[in-house]
Amino acid sequence: MRAVRLSVVTAAATAAALTAVTGCTEKGSAQGGDRVIEVTATDTKCEVSKKEFPAGHIELAIENKGSKVTEVYILFPDDRVVTERENIGPGTQQKVTAEVKAGDYRITCKPGMKGDGIRQNVKATGGGTTAKRDPRLDAAVAAYRKYVQQQADETLPKVKVFTDAVKAGDIEAAKKAYADSRIGWERTEPVAESFGDIDPKVDVREDGLEDGQDPETDWTGWHRLEKALWQDKKIGDREKELADQLVKDLTDWQGRVGKAEITPTSMANGAKELLDEVATGKVTGEEERYSHTDLVDFKANVEGAEKSYELLKPVASENDAALAKELDKQFAAIDTLLDKYRVDKNSYDFTSYDKVGEDDRKELQDAVNALAEPLSKLAAAVVVK
């Protein structure tokens, strides 16, 4: 979901957002100077402390000295995402662990979280691959790759139910199918976002459009149709065209998911990104502002994060038993809390979010914050020796 997000997090959330994800080298901590790249972001600059570094596990030590919320990426030359961190507030610092092979990359800062960003060309040097890792992590990557492909494969038939209803002009049937069509996407959104060009086509909100884009002609995807169904209460020729376009774009996603670059650290960082999505979009009610199906997305985001964690847990629990214990506790707590809002305990039918009061939203927010803080440490735990 590419949009400028207004943070409404509490002090606890702020503390979670600032929690450092400690980096690592092949033998342990990445605090060795050659593997730490300091990134200083301002409203007009993206400065990096080094433009060459060894391939393997590296750490971005990010400081936002600008006046705008920013996000920082490591990109392949073709703009696929290696790793990212969004919602870095003015005057804050964050650390992100990544795993890179030898080759050319771009470190990119996006002041205001829009546009192509300010880019620095960098190079990872070495033999072309990272050091041999624990075979359990290779198994985790393989299992996660299978999972994201399965989610994409299962999404397309559900999307067809939704878009067929739109094309038939059946507003009520389209409304009923809308939230279900998004579950697989929400579970695996960081992988989809890694391609760069698909997410803006299918999951952008109107306020996430780039400067100069016209909502009438350039806004596509689920949320454009959501607005037509719930706010405009009409389906015209344009909406029917957008239904076909959504199927086309998601079919593209389905075909590309299996080629995504996935590493243990990208899985861990992706889990944290899913919690950030919850904190900045679902808990606030911004994501599904017309349909109020935010809790469906919320649950799917948590499930996706939990899947990554469960696959990485054998190594993470060995390297940091206390962290694994806390993650087990917090995932269980948030799952139990979300179950309170299930209309049907055996389905994804959740309470409409506009019916959730401020105190209950605060409780949900606190649960997200309590999980996000330890989850921000998972990337380090899967590579510490």
Side-chain angles (χ1 to χ4, degrees):
M1 172 185 56
R2 296 293 180 212
V4 178
R5 303 179 181 97
L6 301 177
S7 178
V8 296
V9 293
T10 61
T14 302
L18 296 180
T19 300
V21 180
T22 305
C24 342
T25 65
E26 311 307 338
K27 304 265 185 200
S29 170
Q31 293 173 7
D34 61 341
R35 294 187 177 275
V36 177
I37 301 100
E38 296 176 1
V39 181
T40 304
T42 72
D43 295 346
T44 58
K45 295 181 180 179
C46 185
E47 298 177 342
V48 297
S49 61
K50 56 177 63 74
K51 294 191 175 182
E52 287 195 9
F53 41 81
H57 292 111
I58 62 169
E59 177 187 285
L60 298 186
I62 304 164
E63 182 173 10
N64 183 3
K65 292 186 175 181
S67 63
K68 301 176 181 178
V69 175
T70 195
E71 52 193 23
V72 174
Y73 296 79
I74 300 177
L75 300 174
F76 290 102
D78 62 2
D79 280 359
R80 286 176 298 128
V81 177
V82 179
T83 195
E84 65 178 302
R85 183 55 51 88
E86 299 179 350
N87 295 290
I88 306 170
T92 65
Q93 300 177 4
Q94 294 195 28
K95 294 181 181 179
V96 183
T97 298
E99 182 178 350
V100 295
K101 297 178 181 180
D104 295 325
Y105 299 90
R106 296 187 181 107
I107 293 178
T108 303
C109 307
K110 287 190 179 182
M113 296 172 58
K114 287 191 176 184
D116 292 333
I118 305 163
R119 303 181 174 207
Q120 293 280 5
N121 293 326
V122 297
K123 180 185 289 291
T125 59
T129 59
T130 56
K132 185 176 180 180
R133 63 189 176 213
D134 191 315
R136 292 174 297 177
L137 294 177
D138 289 326
V141 168
Y144 187 68
R145 189 179 297 281
K146 181 178 179 180
Y147 171 74
V148 296
Q149 185 67 65
Q150 179 185 44
Q151 293 304 307
D153 293 344
E154 292 177 356
T155 293
L156 263 294
K158 295 178 180 180
V159 169
K160 282 285 290 177
V161 173
F162 170 60
T163 57
D164 284 351
V166 171
K167 291 163 63 178
D170 190 336
I171 291 177
E172 291 308 312
K175 285 182 175 181
K176 185 176 180 181
Y178 171 76
D180 194 45
S181 75
R182 291 176 49 74
I183 292 171
W185 173 272
E186 291 291 337
R187 285 172 176 159
T188 60
E189 191 167 3
V191 176
E193 288 185 349
S194 72
F195 298 112
D197 59 334
I198 297 178
D199 183 82
K201 296 177 181 178
V202 305
D203 198 34
V204 72
R205 304 194 305 260
E206 185 172 7
D207 56 345
L209 294 173
E210 298 291 340
D211 294 340
Q213 286 188 306
D214 184 349
E216 294 299 320
T217 57
D218 300 321
W219 187 18
T220 60
W222 270 300
H223 295 304
R224 168 63 177 79
L225 292 169
E226 178 202 7
K227 180 176 183 289
L229 295 170
W230 273 272
Q231 178 167 295
D232 302 336
K233 297 180 172 59
K234 63 180 182 181
I235 297 173
D237 290 342
R238 176 58 175 162
E239 285 71 36
K240 294 176 183 180
E241 292 173 359
L242 290 171
D244 283 333
Q245 186 64 46
L246 180 62
V247 172
K248 180 180 178 180
D249 291 335
L250 289 172
T251 301
D252 181 27
W253 162 59
Q254 179 190 30
R256 292 162 68 181
V257 156
K259 303 172 185 176
E261 290 283 339
I262 299 174
T263 66
T265 53
S266 75
M267 288 170 60
N269 288 331
K272 176 60 167 62
E273 289 168 30
L274 285 170
L275 263 290
D276 290 344
E277 290 281 346
V278 174
T280 59
K282 282 68 175 184
V283 169
T284 64
E286 294 179 36
E287 176 81 350
E288 306 290 358
R289 61 189 65 175
Y290 309 110
S291 65
H292 305 299
T293 56
D294 303 89
L295 287 173
V296 178
D297 292 358
F298 191 139
K299 178 64 174 175
N301 285 160
V302 171
E303 286 180 337
E306 193 164 10
K307 181 67 174 182
S308 291
Y309 166 60
E310 289 296 336
L311 291 172
L312 297 170
K313 183 178 174 180
V315 173
S317 61
E318 186 175 293
N319 289 334
D320 193 337
L323 176 65
K325 182 177 180 180
E326 183 65 15
L327 285 170
D328 287 341
K329 174 184 173 182
Q330 297 304 335
F331 270 117
I334 203 167
D335 286 336
T336 298
L337 181 57
L338 283 170
D339 281 344
K340 289 173 48 178
Y341 298 96
R342 283 186 186 267
V343 176
D344 179 346
K345 302 298 183 184
N346 299 312
S347 76
Y348 261 78
D349 189 5
F350 282 83
T351 301
S352 180
Y353 203 57
D354 59 335
K355 307 298 183 186
V356 178
E358 289 303 314
D359 288 346
D360 289 330
R361 291 189 184 201
K362 174 64 164 55
E363 184 181 26
L364 287 164
Q365 184 175 310
D366 288 346
V368 172
N369 296 339
L371 174 57
E373 192 278 330
L375 196 58
S376 70
K377 302 174 182 178
L378 181 59
V382 298
V383 289
V384 169
K385 301 296 184 184

